[in-house]
Amino acid sequence: MRKDIREAQEKREAAGKGLCKASLIIGIVYAVLFLAFEVILFVTGIIPTKFLVLQLVVLLLLSALIVPMLILKKAKRKNKIVAIILAGLLGIVYIIGGAYLINTVGFLDEIFGDSETITYDIIAHEENPIDDESGLPGATIHTTTAADKDKYYGQALQTLAESYEVEFKSTDESFMDLCKDASKDKKVLVFVSDANYDIACDQNEAVDDNTKIVAKIKVEKKALAAKETDVTTKPFNILISGNDTKGEILDVARSDVNIIVSVNPVTKNILLTTVPRDYFVYVPQVGASDKLTHTGNFGVDCTAESLENLLGIDINYYVKVNFTCVTELVDAIGGIDVVSEYDFTTSGRFNNGYKFKKGVNHCNGKQALAFSRERHAFAAGDIQRAKDQQIVLSAIIEKCTHSSTVLTNYSDILDSVAKYLRTNMSSDDIKSLVKMQFSDMASWHIETNILEGTSQMAPCYSIPNLNVFSWIPSQASVTEGQARITSIFDGGDGTIPSDEQTGTDTTESTENQ
């Protein structure tokens, strides 16, 4: 009997010693996780100071209760078990919270972009014996003098000459004519930008069917420089430029979505001003007028400067996205609900005939992209497309700000869009906005506006020898757009009194490009 009692006592003592060792190790691990979490919080600089201090005080008090019970041998067994449970739960919070913060900072660093890539193509007939760069040495390549003002075209030519020892034959033909030459003559090699080659393929079926890309040359250029301001106390404009590509976000490409986001962080008012892709605007970089979408082929800085010239404003920052970003983001947040104004079916080679009903439609990524791209189904054409793009953007904002999906899929969301999004807004500015929002948790009022105009069929700078669809800006609409942006900057809500509105004029879009 005594032996049984002694053995039971020895087991309790052994278990007590084991618990003490385990709790000591847990206490050390807990202390390390706590210190690491606090360091990450302070270094990343995302959390407002008042919350930093509050959480530090609360966690220090909890730690002051937990740690002694973990490391002191005299602590009661029941207290140690409670302390182990609390330490485990808080440790999980430290690990997850720290990972979220580290991922956020990494994401902000990855999406910052101060450069873009211009790709140039060597084009040949499908039956040309040269299939890749190995056949280029000694070849003669036709170039256009129309690109003489483009310093990046010149840089690409120099790189091409140094890399492949080719000769050049300069002509006065436009890039469209050069591409046509390659589609007809099996011996001709021509040199044009990748963006212009895409336009030529869109405009001429023979170019699309009968030519191939033999080689590519890439040139880096500086993107739009930020016009920095205190984003927590002063109004600012952001250009959202949506490229019509599914490739690398660094590549220049036509800017099919152009939304100026005017933000007043003091009044919590936002105005979304959409400028249709086919707006016929003066382009300062080339000294001529072109469709707004084509300015993206010269870089996001060219698009921003053209819009600044049109509206008489400063654009402080840009956010550049492409089609893949939309599909990946919408899928990552579990889809969005869009409210359609019409029953319609999408068309085009990328839109896959999706059907939408008037009212609420739940969309995955591909459906949301198709919804935002469709224009042929509507009498208002590009105007309705601009409205639908704003609907998709608003739905994404709504889902991201009012859904637990963002928290549960946070890392996946960041990973899914990082490759397809670039901005020149610094991570410090973005952190300042986040901290401001955490501090006041204010709701924002969003207004929308779409610039309008009248249609025309005429040549433009990028397509000089062919009549293409474009919108001639309505001066009344532009003036109203200026007034509404000014309203945001002056402390208003982005609207103007009805007796001050100048009115707009519209014409149905029949664009076939």
Side-chain angles (χ1 to χ4, degrees), residues 481-508:
Q482 293 170 328
R484 296 185 68 170
I485 292 173
T486 299
S487 170
I488 290 288
F489 274 64
D490 289 345
D493 62 359
T495 62
I496 55 177
S498 57
D499 59 348
E500 294 182 18
Q501 291 185 17
T502 54
T504 57
D505 54 345
T506 62
T507 299
E508 287 188 5

Side-chain angles (χ1 to χ4, degrees), residues 231-232 236 265 425 429-438:
V231 295
T232 62
F236 56 92
M425 180 179 280
D429 282 340
I430 297 175
K431 290 176 187 177
S432 295
L433 286 172
V434 173
K435 289 169 71 173
M436 178 189 70
Q437 186 64 24
F438 276 151

Side-chain angles (χ1 to χ4, degrees), residues 115-179:
S115 65
E116 293 181 286
T117 301
I118 305 178
T119 302
Y120 295 89
D121 300 332
I122 300 172
I123 309 300
H125 192 280
E126 277 287 353
E127 297 182 17
N128 190 298
I130 299 177
D131 288 321
D132 54 40
E133 62 269 15
S134 63
L136 290 179
T140 298
I141 298 177
H142 293 234
T143 64
T144 173
T145 56
D148 286 346
K149 292 186 294 183
D150 184 351
K151 69 176 182 179
Y152 300 105
Y153 188 83
Q155 289 179 17
L157 287 177
Q158 183 177 351
T159 301
L160 180 59
E162 293 172 352
S163 301
Y164 301 111
E165 298 179 353
V166 296
E167 295 182 358
F168 299 113
K169 181 178 180 180
S170 182
T171 75
D172 292 330
E173 291 184 304
S174 68
F175 78 87
M176 285 285 293
D177 291 331
L178 285 181
C179 291

Side-chain angles (χ1 to χ4, degrees), residues 30-322:
Y30 172 85
V32 171
L33 290 176
F34 170 69
L35 291 174
F37 177 67
E38 293 300 329
V39 169
I40 292 172
L41 272 178
F42 280 89
V43 170
T44 53
I46 295 176
I47 307 301
T49 302
K50 64 180 181 181
F51 291 129
L52 276 177
V53 174
L54 178 62
Q55 65 82 29
L56 180 60
V57 171
V58 171
L59 291 180
L60 278 175
L61 290 174
L62 285 174
S63 299
L65 295 173
I66 292 172
V67 173
M69 287 190 289
L70 291 173
I71 64 177
L72 294 178
K73 294 182 179 180
K74 295 181 180 180
K76 294 181 179 180
R77 174 185 175 86
K78 182 174 67 175
N79 291 341
K80 281 186 177 295
I81 293 174
V82 171
I84 289 173
I85 294 172
L86 290 175
L89 293 174
L90 286 173
I92 293 173
V93 171
Y94 298 153
I95 292 172
I96 295 175
Y100 272 41
L101 290 168
I102 291 172
N103 285 345
T104 300
V105 173
F107 171 77
L108 295 179
D109 290 338
E110 184 174 354
I111 66 173
F112 180 79
D114 59 359
S115 65
E116 293 181 286
T117 301
I118 305 178
T119 302
Y120 295 89
D121 300 332
I122 300 172
I123 309 300
H125 192 280
E126 277 287 353
E127 297 182 17
N128 190 298
I130 299 177
D131 288 321
D132 54 40
E133 62 269 15
S134 63
L136 290 179
T140 298
I141 298 177
H142 293 234
T143 64
T144 173
T145 56
D148 286 346
K149 292 186 294 183
D150 184 351
K151 69 176 182 179
Y152 300 105
Y153 188 83
Q155 289 179 17
L157 287 177
Q158 183 177 351
T159 301
L160 180 59
E162 293 172 352
S163 301
Y164 301 111
E165 298 179 353
V166 296
E167 295 182 358
F168 299 113
K169 181 178 180 180
S170 182
T171 75
D172 292 330
E173 291 184 304
S174 68
F175 78 87
M176 285 285 293
D177 291 331
L178 285 181
C179 291
K180 289 179 183 177
D181 292 342
S183 71
K184 298 175 182 177
D185 192 331
K186 299 177 183 179
K187 297 180 179 179
V188 169
L189 295 173
V190 302
F191 190 70
V192 298
S193 72
D194 190 65
N196 283 338
Y197 178 56
D198 281 345
I199 293 176
C201 288
D202 284 344
Q203 293 294 327
N204 191 301
E205 187 174 339
V207 174
D208 192 22
D209 293 340
N210 299 332
T211 61
K212 62 184 177 182
I213 298 175
V214 173
K216 291 179 177 286
I217 299 292
K218 293 182 179 291
V219 176
E220 186 176 289
K221 67 164 289 185
K222 284 290 183 181
L224 178 70
K227 297 176 181 177
E228 295 185 344
T229 187
D230 186 341
V231 295
T232 62
T233 62
K234 295 180 180 179
F236 56 92
N237 288 314
I238 302 174
L239 167 63
I240 297 180
S241 175
N243 287 358
D244 71 337
T245 66
K246 298 182 179 181
E248 297 293 331
I249 190 62
L250 291 180
D251 292 343
V252 301
R254 285 175 291 188
S255 187
D256 267 10
V257 178
N258 301 278
I259 301 175
I260 299 169
V261 184
S262 303
V263 183
N264 191 318
V266 177
T267 62
K268 308 300 181 184
N269 285 310
I270 295 175
L271 173 66
L272 306 179
T273 302
T274 296
V275 186
R277 69 187 289 277
D278 295 313
Y279 237 40
F280 196 66
V281 298
Y282 181 75
V283 185
Q285 281 195 19
V286 300
S289 294
D290 204 342
K291 292 169 50 155
L292 180 60
T293 183
H294 293 157
T295 63
N297 291 336
F298 305 105
V300 69
D301 58 327
C302 185
T303 302
E305 289 170 9
S306 301
L307 289 171
E308 287 178 330
N309 182 74
L310 174 72
L311 291 165
I313 62 173
D314 284 331
I315 292 177
N316 301 88
Y317 308 100
Y318 76 83
V319 175
K320 183 179 176 183
V321 298
N322 63 12

